[in-house]
Amino acid sequence: MNELLLAEVYRLVEPGPVVLLTTRSVQGRANVMAMSWHMMVEIAPPTIACIVSNNDLSFFALRQTKECVIAVPAVGLADKVVKVGNCSGRDTDKFAMAWLTPLPAERVSAPLVAECFANLECRVVDTRMVGRYDLFVLEVLKAWIDPAQTKPKTIHHIGNGGFVVDGEVIHFESRVP
């Protein structure tokens, strides 16, 4: 075994696909950010924990409105996801810049992303760890799936500009329902 720099540990345990998190400020401005630091917390109701840096414009909208959308892009959107992740919503309309289409959500003011194969309308249900870790706990209120996108493949960030595309599915017997 060789020693690994502690700054590289996150690359080993990245929890899931890169997603897009959308918000709408109380002033009405929509924003979108790329996010890969998130995880499922509960199945019913579906609850997700995510980290949104207090340096991000989305942090302030999420803190004010307590709602967002988590949109799940397929690999075909990877270039747009990277564009969104490489600029700030403070000085850029990221929807327009990345040619993404905001759609109205049903339960929250934040927009869905038309090009994504799934969209999850969420509300913040716990902010106790925001001050220390920028960690928000979200409950999914409504979930949408695009039936036209069959067998979408997601992208997973592995650091330093690298991504892995999900691949072959393998199945094993499961005793958990």
Side-chain angles (χ1 to χ4, degrees), residues 133-150:
Y133 298 108
D134 296 341
L135 188 140
F136 293 85
V137 179
L138 313 169
E139 180 182 337
V140 179
L141 304 173
K142 182 97 179 178
W144 303 92
I145 196 87
D146 180 355
Q149 296 191 49
T150 58

mmCIF file of all heavy atoms in Angstrom, residues 133-150:
data_model
loop_
_atom_site.group_PDB
_atom_site.id
_atom_site.type_symbol
_atom_site.label_atom_id
_atom_site.label_comp_id
_atom_site.label_asym_id
_atom_site.label_seq_id
_atom_site.Cartn_x
_atom_site.Cartn_y
_atom_site.Cartn_z
ATOM 1 N N TYR A 133 -21.578 22.558 8.439
ATOM 2 C CA TYR A 133 -21.154 21.757 7.287
ATOM 3 C C TYR A 133 -21.789 22.168 5.958
ATOM 4 O O TYR A 133 -21.555 21.502 4.947
ATOM 5 C CB TYR A 133 -21.468 20.275 7.526
ATOM 6 C CG TYR A 133 -20.750 19.698 8.714
ATOM 7 C CD1 TYR A 133 -21.434 19.388 9.879
ATOM 8 C CD2 TYR A 133 -19.378 19.464 8.671
ATOM 9 C CE1 TYR A 133 -20.770 18.857 10.976
ATOM 10 C CE2 TYR A 133 -18.711 18.932 9.764
ATOM 11 C CZ TYR A 133 -19.420 18.636 10.918
ATOM 12 O OH TYR A 133 -18.759 18.113 11.997
ATOM 13 N N ASP A 134 -22.630 23.193 5.934
ATOM 14 C CA ASP A 134 -23.373 23.578 4.722
ATOM 15 C C ASP A 134 -24.261 22.426 4.244
ATOM 16 O O ASP A 134 -24.525 22.279 3.053
ATOM 17 C CB ASP A 134 -22.434 24.013 3.586
ATOM 18 C CG ASP A 134 -21.649 25.268 3.914
ATOM 19 O OD1 ASP A 134 -22.051 26.014 4.824
ATOM 20 O OD2 ASP A 134 -20.631 25.504 3.244
ATOM 21 N N LEU A 135 -24.737 21.607 5.175
ATOM 22 C CA LEU A 135 -25.514 20.414 4.846
ATOM 23 C C LEU A 135 -27.005 20.669 5.072
ATOM 24 O O LEU A 135 -27.424 20.997 6.181
ATOM 25 C CB LEU A 135 -25.052 19.232 5.702
ATOM 26 C CG LEU A 135 -25.666 17.895 5.311
ATOM 27 C CD1 LEU A 135 -24.622 16.809 5.404
ATOM 28 C CD2 LEU A 135 -26.849 17.540 6.193
ATOM 29 N N PHE A 136 -27.767 20.524 4.009
ATOM 30 C CA PHE A 136 -29.220 20.676 4.040
ATOM 31 C C PHE A 136 -29.849 19.290 3.940
ATOM 32 O O PHE A 136 -29.381 18.445 3.177
ATOM 33 C CB PHE A 136 -29.706 21.504 2.847
ATOM 34 C CG PHE A 136 -29.268 22.939 2.861
ATOM 35 C CD1 PHE A 136 -28.028 23.307 2.351
ATOM 36 C CD2 PHE A 136 -30.100 23.924 3.358
ATOM 37 C CE1 PHE A 136 -27.620 24.633 2.346
ATOM 38 C CE2 PHE A 136 -29.706 25.258 3.352
ATOM 39 C CZ PHE A 136 -28.466 25.612 2.848
ATOM 40 N N VAL A 137 -30.932 19.065 4.668
ATOM 41 C CA VAL A 137 -31.700 17.830 4.539
ATOM 42 C C VAL A 137 -33.006 18.190 3.838
ATOM 43 O O VAL A 137 -33.727 19.091 4.266
ATOM 44 C CB VAL A 137 -31.952 17.168 5.908
ATOM 45 C CG1 VAL A 137 -32.781 15.900 5.743
ATOM 46 C CG2 VAL A 137 -30.627 16.864 6.608
ATOM 47 N N LEU A 138 -33.273 17.477 2.745
ATOM 48 C CA LEU A 138 -34.409 17.773 1.872
ATOM 49 C C LEU A 138 -35.394 16.610 1.847
ATOM 50 O O LEU A 138 -34.982 15.456 1.809
ATOM 51 C CB LEU A 138 -33.927 18.001 0.437
ATOM 52 C CG LEU A 138 -32.725 18.917 0.225
ATOM 53 C CD1 LEU A 138 -32.239 18.811 -1.220
ATOM 54 C CD2 LEU A 138 -33.076 20.336 0.588
ATOM 55 N N GLU A 139 -36.664 16.929 1.827
ATOM 56 C CA GLU A 139 -37.691 15.911 1.596
ATOM 57 C C GLU A 139 -38.195 16.074 0.163
ATOM 58 O O GLU A 139 -38.507 17.191 -0.272
ATOM 59 C CB GLU A 139 -38.857 16.077 2.566
ATOM 60 C CG GLU A 139 -39.953 15.048 2.358
ATOM 61 C CD GLU A 139 -41.132 15.237 3.291
ATOM 62 O OE1 GLU A 139 -40.973 15.845 4.360
ATOM 63 O OE2 GLU A 139 -42.229 14.766 2.935
ATOM 64 N N VAL A 140 -38.267 14.967 -0.553
ATOM 65 C CA VAL A 140 -38.787 14.993 -1.917
ATOM 66 C C VAL A 140 -40.310 15.038 -1.840
ATOM 67 O O VAL A 140 -40.938 14.158 -1.242
ATOM 68 C CB VAL A 140 -38.317 13.769 -2.734
ATOM 69 C CG1 VAL A 140 -38.901 13.816 -4.138
ATOM 70 C CG2 VAL A 140 -36.792 13.704 -2.769
ATOM 71 N N LEU A 141 -40.886 16.073 -2.431
ATOM 72 C CA LEU A 141 -42.338 16.262 -2.411
ATOM 73 C C LEU A 141 -43.023 15.703 -3.644
ATOM 74 O O LEU A 141 -44.178 15.276 -3.599
ATOM 75 C CB LEU A 141 -42.665 17.764 -2.329
ATOM 76 C CG LEU A 141 -42.050 18.528 -1.171
ATOM 77 C CD1 LEU A 141 -42.333 20.017 -1.326
ATOM 78 C CD2 LEU A 141 -42.574 17.997 0.154
ATOM 79 N N LYS A 142 -42.319 15.741 -4.766
ATOM 80 C CA LYS A 142 -42.874 15.278 -6.039
ATOM 81 C C LYS A 142 -41.706 14.836 -6.907
ATOM 82 O O LYS A 142 -40.661 15.489 -6.927
ATOM 83 C CB LYS A 142 -43.630 16.432 -6.720
ATOM 84 C CG LYS A 142 -44.284 16.112 -8.009
ATOM 85 C CD LYS A 142 -45.743 15.802 -7.817
ATOM 86 C CE LYS A 142 -46.407 15.500 -9.147
ATOM 87 N NZ LYS A 142 -47.787 15.148 -9.001
ATOM 88 N N ALA A 143 -41.867 13.732 -7.609
ATOM 89 C CA ALA A 143 -40.802 13.211 -8.467
ATOM 90 C C ALA A 143 -41.341 13.051 -9.891
ATOM 91 O O ALA A 143 -42.485 12.627 -10.090
ATOM 92 C CB ALA A 143 -40.299 11.875 -7.938
ATOM 93 N N TRP A 144 -40.485 13.410 -10.851
ATOM 94 C CA TRP A 144 -40.836 13.348 -12.264
ATOM 95 C C TRP A 144 -39.792 12.527 -13.001
ATOM 96 O O TRP A 144 -38.616 12.588 -12.687
ATOM 97 C CB TRP A 144 -40.855 14.750 -12.875
ATOM 98 C CG TRP A 144 -41.784 15.710 -12.201
ATOM 99 C CD1 TRP A 144 -41.473 16.567 -11.181
ATOM 100 C CD2 TRP A 144 -43.159 15.930 -12.490
ATOM 101 N NE1 TRP A 144 -42.569 17.303 -10.827
ATOM 102 C CE2 TRP A 144 -43.632 16.929 -11.618
ATOM 103 C CE3 TRP A 144 -44.038 15.370 -13.412
ATOM 104 C CZ2 TRP A 144 -44.938 17.388 -11.633
ATOM 105 C CZ3 TRP A 144 -45.354 15.833 -13.423
ATOM 106 C CH2 TRP A 144 -45.781 16.823 -12.546
ATOM 107 N N ILE A 145 -40.234 11.775 -14.003
ATOM 108 C CA ILE A 145 -39.326 10.982 -14.832
ATOM 109 C C ILE A 145 -39.722 11.192 -16.292
ATOM 110 O O ILE A 145 -40.910 11.301 -16.603
ATOM 111 C CB ILE A 145 -39.376 9.481 -14.428
ATOM 112 C CG1 ILE A 145 -38.197 8.721 -14.986
ATOM 113 C CG2 ILE A 145 -40.673 8.835 -14.781
ATOM 114 C CD1 ILE A 145 -36.997 8.753 -14.100
ATOM 115 N N ASP A 146 -38.751 11.275 -17.172
ATOM 116 C CA ASP A 146 -39.005 11.451 -18.600
ATOM 117 C C ASP A 146 -39.051 10.071 -19.250
ATOM 118 O O ASP A 146 -38.014 9.421 -19.410
ATOM 119 C CB ASP A 146 -37.902 12.301 -19.230
ATOM 120 C CG ASP A 146 -38.097 12.530 -20.717
ATOM 121 O OD1 ASP A 146 -39.034 11.957 -21.318
ATOM 122 O OD2 ASP A 146 -37.300 13.299 -21.295
ATOM 123 N N PRO A 147 -40.233 9.599 -19.655
ATOM 124 C CA PRO A 147 -40.341 8.255 -20.229
ATOM 125 C C PRO A 147 -39.625 8.108 -21.573
ATOM 126 O O PRO A 147 -39.342 6.993 -22.002
ATOM 127 C CB PRO A 147 -41.853 8.044 -20.388
ATOM 128 C CG PRO A 147 -42.423 9.411 -20.456
ATOM 129 C CD PRO A 147 -41.515 10.293 -19.637
ATOM 130 N N ALA A 148 -39.315 9.216 -22.218
ATOM 131 C CA ALA A 148 -38.607 9.161 -23.505
ATOM 132 C C ALA A 148 -37.132 8.812 -23.330
ATOM 133 O O ALA A 148 -36.480 8.388 -24.282
ATOM 134 C CB ALA A 148 -38.745 10.493 -24.238
ATOM 135 N N GLN A 149 -36.606 9.025 -22.124
ATOM 136 C CA GLN A 149 -35.194 8.718 -21.870
ATOM 137 C C GLN A 149 -35.106 7.347 -21.200
ATOM 138 O O GLN A 149 -35.157 7.233 -19.986
ATOM 139 C CB GLN A 149 -34.551 9.800 -21.005
ATOM 140 C CG GLN A 149 -34.512 11.151 -21.685
ATOM 141 C CD GLN A 149 -33.650 12.140 -20.942
ATOM 142 O OE1 GLN A 149 -32.511 11.830 -20.588
ATOM 143 N NE2 GLN A 149 -34.186 13.332 -20.698
ATOM 144 N N THR A 150 -34.986 6.315 -22.013
ATOM 145 C CA THR A 150 -34.926 4.956 -21.483
ATOM 146 C C THR A 150 -33.471 4.574 -21.185
ATOM 147 O O THR A 150 -32.564 4.904 -21.941
ATOM 148 C CB THR A 150 -35.532 3.957 -22.485
ATOM 149 O OG1 THR A 150 -34.821 4.050 -23.706
ATOM 150 C CG2 THR A 150 -37.010 4.265 -22.728
#
